[in-house]
Amino acid sequence: MQTMESRGNALSRRQFAGIMAAGAVAAMVGLPSCSPKDASNAKVEKKYDYDVVVLGGGGAGTSAAGKAAEAGAKTVLLEKMGWLAGSSSICLGGFYGAGNAVQKRAGIEDDTPEALLEYFLASNGDKLDYDVQEFCAYHFGETIDWLSEELGVPFQDEVLLKGKDTVKRQSRCKNSGMDALSAVYRFAQDQGAEFMFNMAAEKLIVDDSGAVCGVLARESNGRLSQFNAKSVVVATGGFCRNAEMIEEYMPDFKQVPTEVGLGCTGEGLQMGLDLGADYIGHGGVNGILWCPAATGQSKLIDKKAMWVDASGKRFVNEAGQTHDIFYQVAQFDGAKFYAVYDQAMVDALKGCRQAISKSALRKACLQRAIRLPRRLNRSASMARRCKPRSTSTTPCARRA
């Protein structure tokens, strides 16, 4: 693989600290002018030299690569899959932030980072690092502005009200998260950042002082390459798709399925742990409630319905925070609950009719809920089995 010449001086720590995209968590490790000491035992077939090596091709890594290259660093991003396989590639594209241009176009003029921080702190903020929450509250809006105003990412006109918030703060991409990821990818390429796909990082290289100064990575054909770098950015996401790590770090959630990116298997985190990095977190996840039927049918989880457990008992205030309800449902037998609808609510499910016909929907839903108490079945036009699903196992990261 060919490399590009440096477009300027090496990136300073101060420069790099100011360019990480808000809303994405990445870790930078490394010092300039280091000489790798522990790569000699591996059979390295090719060596590269860069200012910055980024691991992981999701929203965090792609943003980091683009910004590093923009600042003049010779930059390469390594992605183990054959495409940008982070969770940003499959998400709905909702960005949470205060005081941004998308809000203002929707007529929301008085929102502030201070108010957003208060909301964060009131929403399980005691479990997260205060400095991280403060940084996010003050910079998330800037990220939305960067995407919409500078990169031209299309956003929906309506800003959404989410959770227990009292202010509309979720700006959602017009189509999906790929609107943003594609734009950031184009930006990174325009700045001269290189992308190497099917290149799986295996080990961080350290020098005699213990500072990280490179990466060993293996191509899909088995060839091992060494990437020497002045700085390494680990942006590989969580470990939702690694059953062994789920069992070790959060066994309470091992029965909960996930819908994160296929590449979120925890190798990047494990490489840090192998070097003695600390594990920090409260063992929680960012969970959602979903219906395992067809695309778009999570609309079936309506807070106007009555939610009951397998015995037919109402177990929660449906208007509560779904992330909190997720933790409760995750402990149910089979990790499922049921939503009970009347006929008017069935008739209102316009979005679901696009996936399957009304009659088929009713049949599919009723077949999966026949074990409800008989008196409840008589009063319900439809009951739908719903389940929790994990979207993140990065304990200190907040997702809107």
Side-chain angles (χ1 to χ4, degrees), residues 104-127:
K104 291 174 182 177
R105 285 196 291 270
I108 304 169
E109 298 280 352
D110 56 352
D111 195 17
T112 65
E114 292 83 0
L116 178 56
L117 178 59
E118 290 181 7
Y119 174 68
F120 282 168
L121 296 176
S123 304
N124 295 315
D126 58 312
K127 299 181 178 67

Side-chain angles (χ1 to χ4, degrees), residues 301-317:
I301 306 176
D302 192 330
K303 293 186 177 183
K304 296 178 182 178
M306 181 170 64
W307 296 358
V308 298
D309 59 21
S311 69
K313 181 179 179 181
R314 183 171 181 253
F315 66 92
V316 73
N317 177 359

Side-chain angles (χ1 to χ4, degrees), residues 33-312:
S33 302
C34 60
S35 177
K37 71 166 186 175
D38 60 352
S40 58
N41 293 331
K43 186 179 179 181
V44 175
E45 299 186 36
K46 194 164 184 178
K47 294 185 179 181
Y48 301 88
D49 293 303
Y50 287 91
D51 295 325
V52 177
V53 173
V54 180
L55 307 182
T62 307
S63 298
K67 281 296 189 175
E70 182 185 44
K74 183 181 178 182
T75 304
V76 65
L77 182 148
L78 310 182
E79 167 58 50
K80 68 180 180 181
M81 308 298 283
W83 68 95
L84 296 174
S87 296
S88 299
S89 66
I90 61 173
C91 70
L92 293 174
F95 290 83
Y96 222 67
N100 59 77
V102 179
Q103 278 184 311
K104 291 174 182 177
R105 285 196 291 270
I108 304 169
E109 298 280 352
D110 56 352
D111 195 17
T112 65
E114 292 83 0
L116 178 56
L117 178 59
E118 290 181 7
Y119 174 68
F120 282 168
L121 296 176
S123 304
N124 295 315
D126 58 312
K127 299 181 178 67
L128 301 172
D129 183 273
Y130 176 85
D131 291 339
V132 172
Q133 294 180 87
E134 183 181 46
F135 181 88
C136 292
Y138 279 85
H139 294 285
F140 276 5
E142 295 174 2
T143 297
I144 296 173
D145 287 344
W146 178 59
L147 293 171
S148 64
E149 307 307 295
E150 296 187 36
L151 301 190
V153 175
F155 281 87
Q156 298 176 11
D157 293 335
E158 182 183 3
V159 179
L160 304 179
L161 184 68
K162 307 298 289 185
K164 296 180 181 178
D165 210 342
T166 58
V167 179
K168 293 182 176 180
R169 290 190 171 116
Q170 189 187 83
S171 300
R172 183 170 290 183
C173 294
K174 185 175 181 179
N175 302 296
S176 72
M178 279 303 298
D179 292 341
L181 185 58
S182 298
V184 174
Y185 181 45
R186 290 192 298 270
F187 162 77
Q189 289 181 306
D190 290 343
Q191 303 308 313
E194 298 173 57
F195 287 76
M196 294 188 183
F197 296 94
N198 297 306
M199 182 70 77
E202 292 188 350
K203 186 176 184 180
L204 296 173
I205 303 171
V206 298
D207 64 9
D208 291 333
S209 70
V212 175
C213 56
V215 180
L216 291 178
R218 193 175 301 276
E219 296 181 48
S220 57
N221 61 10
R223 185 174 69 177
L224 188 66
S225 297
Q226 178 176 320
F227 293 82
N228 301 322
K230 298 175 181 178
S231 294
V232 176
V233 179
V234 179
T236 54
F239 52 88
C240 267
R241 294 195 180 273
N242 186 317
E244 290 76 18
M245 294 185 78
I246 293 290
E247 179 71 35
E248 179 176 359
Y249 293 105
M250 44 189 61
D252 289 345
F253 299 97
K254 62 184 180 181
Q255 67 174 334
V256 178
T258 185
E259 60 177 11
V260 301
L262 293 176
C264 294
T265 48
E267 292 95 336
L269 300 176
Q270 189 61 55
M271 284 187 284
L273 293 171
D274 290 343
L275 293 180
D278 288 334
Y279 171 83
I280 300 175
H282 61 86
V285 300
N286 182 11
I288 62 173
L289 304 174
W290 68 293
C291 289
T295 302
Q297 290 192 25
S298 285
K299 293 179 180 179
L300 287 166
I301 306 176
D302 192 330
K303 293 186 177 183
K304 296 178 182 178
M306 181 170 64
W307 296 358
V308 298
D309 59 21
S311 69

